[in-house]
Amino acid sequence: MIYHVSAAAARGGDGSERRPFQTISEAALIARAGDEVLVAPGVYREYVNPANGGTDSEHRITYRSAVPLGAVITGAEPVKDWRHWEGEVWVARVPNGIFGSYNPYTTVIRGDWYSSPNPVHTGEVYLNGKSMYEVFSLEEVTHPQIYRGSWEPEATLYQWYTEQDDGVTVIYANFQGADPNRENVEINVRRNCFYPDRTGVNYITLSGFVVKQAATTWAPPTAYQEGMIGPHWSKGWIIEDCEVSDSKCSGISLGKYLQPNNENKWSTKFVKDGTQTERDAICQAQREGWTKEKIGSHIVRRCNIHHCGQTGIVGHLGGVFSVIEDNHIHHINNKQDLAGAEIGGIKMHAAIDVIIRRNHFHHCTRGLWLDWQAQGTRVTQNLFHDNVPPRGTQITNTLALAEDIFIEVSHGPTLIDNNLLLSNCACRISTQGVALVHNLIAGSFTWVGAGTDNSGKRFPTPRYTPYHVPHRTEIAGFMTILHGDARFYNNIFVQQPVREDLVAYTRSKGCEEEYNFVCGTKPYDGYPSAEKYFAQFTHAADGECRDIYYDHLPVYTGGNVYFNGAQPCDGEQDGAVDTEHTVTLALREENGAWRLETDLYDSLPALETSVVSTELLGEAFEPEQRFEQPDGSEIIFDRDYFGQKRGVQPLPGPFADRAEQAQAL
């Protein structure tokens, strides 16, 4: 059955083509497995709460914009009755009845791993679609000052302040000379846009919509994780061809359901450390039905995800076995009004067997953050660049220094192959069980061998994290991070000029050693070879010193090439260091197409490289799981960034052919 919806329809429609529903919500109440909801172009100012889901991948409920990006679901409402206050400041009075039980202008963002010093609200004010900056006194909004922590400092003069007055939300806003009664001014009203209020609403497709401007809350792993869009602890959703923007916190959530006994427990009860509350949350979820058969296996594809405050996509546990592909993820957390440890273009915990491929990440406070249980995760054929604060930005914490990929306290196997990693810091590797294969890497590896404890001063505070039965959610064990167990094959490393402002910042924070800026595998100096490491284990060390069980794990290398002063580790095997040529790298954008301009292929040395495969990479140490496909089959890395076939002696880097680098990325 096809139900029709049109914002221009008269009320009282029956969903037929002749008499369409006026709202998407009317169709969402009655649509059943196999039905399609076809939505005409228009603006739909509503919260869509799907009452039903599909039964399987062949019998799903599909919500489709009849014209791609023609139907807009927004969590905002226009405000027209502005009164001039003084100077550039105007004031509006909004009766609280419009908000129902959730007022974004009294709801303050808080939660585990959130650290912003100011009482930021989930509400927002938009001038012609662009969000303004909240300040916290009438004096500030009347005499605005530029905030240098923003990636767009001049925009920070557009400010707003809110207060309550006897059942009315009062908003003062400095529009910098614009007349808000003539311009398009909107405010966040609804918490979500397309999101079921209960779990287990499976097999829904959302296709071709613009979804924007919702008053979402902070989404840490130890709390109910919401977004503007999300399956809310379900299975088999497809979110495709959508434009997702301007969520106060997260755009799309694939994450965790509400556990009332463990809802931001660390930051409300304070007694247990956040790491322990997260372990508790994982074990509770497993007891309560977190399995491959019930949860995850979502697809997010071909979406344009941008200008969200916390993450473009967030997930903990609920995103397992998913595919995230062909998305454009950019300008996330650039306002820098939210701070904490749950920020990035994508931030996922427990990305078990998740495939992240052919995405474009740029201008994010961290491109991709894989935290805990990145087991069977594959990051392939992605373009990363400019995921670092612009020059002149006031960096407010070490988490804001950013990098393309952060892999944290996981046991792997985590596979990073055929990517372009072009930001100043390519990867933060506070983890083990990783393999980097056929990448072009222009940034450094940071925090190698560090960042895996809880910063105790008197007592050891290691973080024991779970690993799982291969390709399942069931927990196989817990272990701290030993570091190493890392593989680097057929990568190209190109040292770029080091930004002195970044170096000065890390020096001021006393973490210059952790924030290495030397491109290459150099941070792995001193790590053992496999032969040396495993030769120690000739018998059970009963009654003997057991330090060998807690030493760094081996590092494996081969076929890597180093340019412009990029440096290999002291155990490097079968690589090449070019000291004769200075090669250039530049990324150019023209009419939406990005191209890499480089002469490195003119100087690429001839190496006797091997075709890399699952057989060569072996097993991640702790879970004893191979670097393999989600179905357990072997990977042979004979296809490149563009999907082109490699030869029997492949070129290092992401391109099979020297001429391919000139193609649009």
Side-chain angles (χ1 to χ4, degrees), residues 19-39:
R19 297 181 61 229
F21 291 130
Q22 192 180 67
T23 67
I24 304 169
S25 295
E26 292 172 271
L29 286 174
I30 62 174
R32 298 291 192 273
D35 291 344
E36 180 174 3
V37 177
L38 191 62
V39 183

Side-chain angles (χ1 to χ4, degrees), residues 232-513:
H232 191 183
W233 202 247
S234 301
K235 183 172 182 177
W237 277 44
I238 298 174
I239 303 167
E240 64 182 11
D241 301 307
C242 292
E243 181 175 0
V244 181
S245 73
D246 293 284
S247 174
K248 184 67 179 192
C249 288
S250 293
I252 297 172
S253 172
L254 305 178
K256 194 175 74 64
Y257 67 111
L258 175 64
Q259 295 174 333
N261 63 324
N262 194 4
E263 174 74 356
N264 288 309
K265 189 175 180 179
W266 180 31
S267 59
T268 55
K269 296 189 176 179
F270 311 112
V271 176
K272 286 187 177 181
D273 189 5
T275 297
Q276 185 61 24
T277 59
E278 187 165 344
R279 282 189 289 255
D280 289 351
I282 294 165
C283 293
Q284 179 180 342
Q286 187 160 94
R287 294 193 305 273
E288 295 177 351
W290 178 47
T291 66
K292 187 174 186 177
E293 289 71 31
K294 294 182 179 180
I295 302 298
S297 297
H298 307 299
I299 298 172
V300 181
R301 62 190 176 201
R302 301 187 301 272
C303 292
N304 180 13
I305 305 169
H306 60 96
H307 290 95
C308 296
Q310 179 190 342
T311 65
I313 301 173
V314 72
H316 182 214
L317 307 177
V320 290
F321 315 113
S322 294
V323 176
I324 301 172
E325 62 185 2
D326 299 305
N327 300 289
H328 186 192
I329 303 172
H330 57 105
H331 295 93
I332 302 297
N333 190 236
N334 289 177
K335 291 176 70 174
Q336 291 286 294
D337 55 344
L338 307 183
E342 305 303 322
I343 287 170
I346 297 177
K347 174 64 193 288
M348 290 194 74
H349 288 74
I352 298 172
D353 281 358
V354 171
I355 298 173
I356 301 170
R357 66 187 172 205
R358 300 190 303 270
N359 302 285
H360 183 187
F361 297 81
H362 65 97
H363 293 91
C364 300
T365 300
R366 183 163 295 113
L368 168 64
W369 188 349
L370 300 170
D371 202 351
W372 293 48
Q373 304 149 276
Q375 183 169 335
T377 311
R378 186 177 183 186
V379 182
T380 182
Q381 299 172 300
N382 300 280
L383 171 61
F384 294 85
H385 63 93
D386 292 296
N387 295 305
V388 65
R391 288 183 183 273
T393 303
Q394 179 184 348
I395 302 172
T396 56
N397 62 73
T398 52
L399 288 174
L401 190 56
E403 57 279 319
D404 288 329
I405 302 174
F406 182 8
I407 314 167
E408 185 176 14
V409 291
S410 176
H411 301 283
T414 308
L415 177 58
I416 314 293
D417 70 279
N418 290 298
N419 302 283
L420 280 71
L421 306 172
L422 304 181
S423 297
N424 297 76
C425 299
C427 297
R428 179 167 171 166
I429 311 179
S430 296
T431 196
Q432 64 188 51
V434 298
L436 282 88
V437 179
H438 278 292
N439 301 288
L440 173 58
I441 302 172
S444 62
F445 296 152
T446 68
W447 290 80
V448 171
T452 59
D453 64 11
N454 276 328
S455 304
K457 303 299 182 184
R458 294 176 54 203
F459 304 109
T461 54
R463 285 193 282 175
Y464 286 82
T465 62
Y467 51 94
H468 298 261
V469 175
H471 312 300
R472 300 286 304 176
T473 59
E474 291 82 0
I475 295 170
F478 287 84
M479 185 53 185
T480 188
I481 303 300
L482 304 179
H483 302 284
D485 193 24
R487 297 142 179 86
F488 303 95
Y489 288 104
N490 295 358
N491 301 288
I492 298 175
F493 295 91
V494 182
Q495 178 73 57
Q496 298 296 290
V498 177
R499 278 177 48 180
E500 287 303 319
D501 60 326
L502 301 182
V503 175
Y505 174 75
T506 61
R507 187 180 299 120
S508 72
K509 295 298 181 181
C511 55
E512 62 268 36
E513 183 176 347

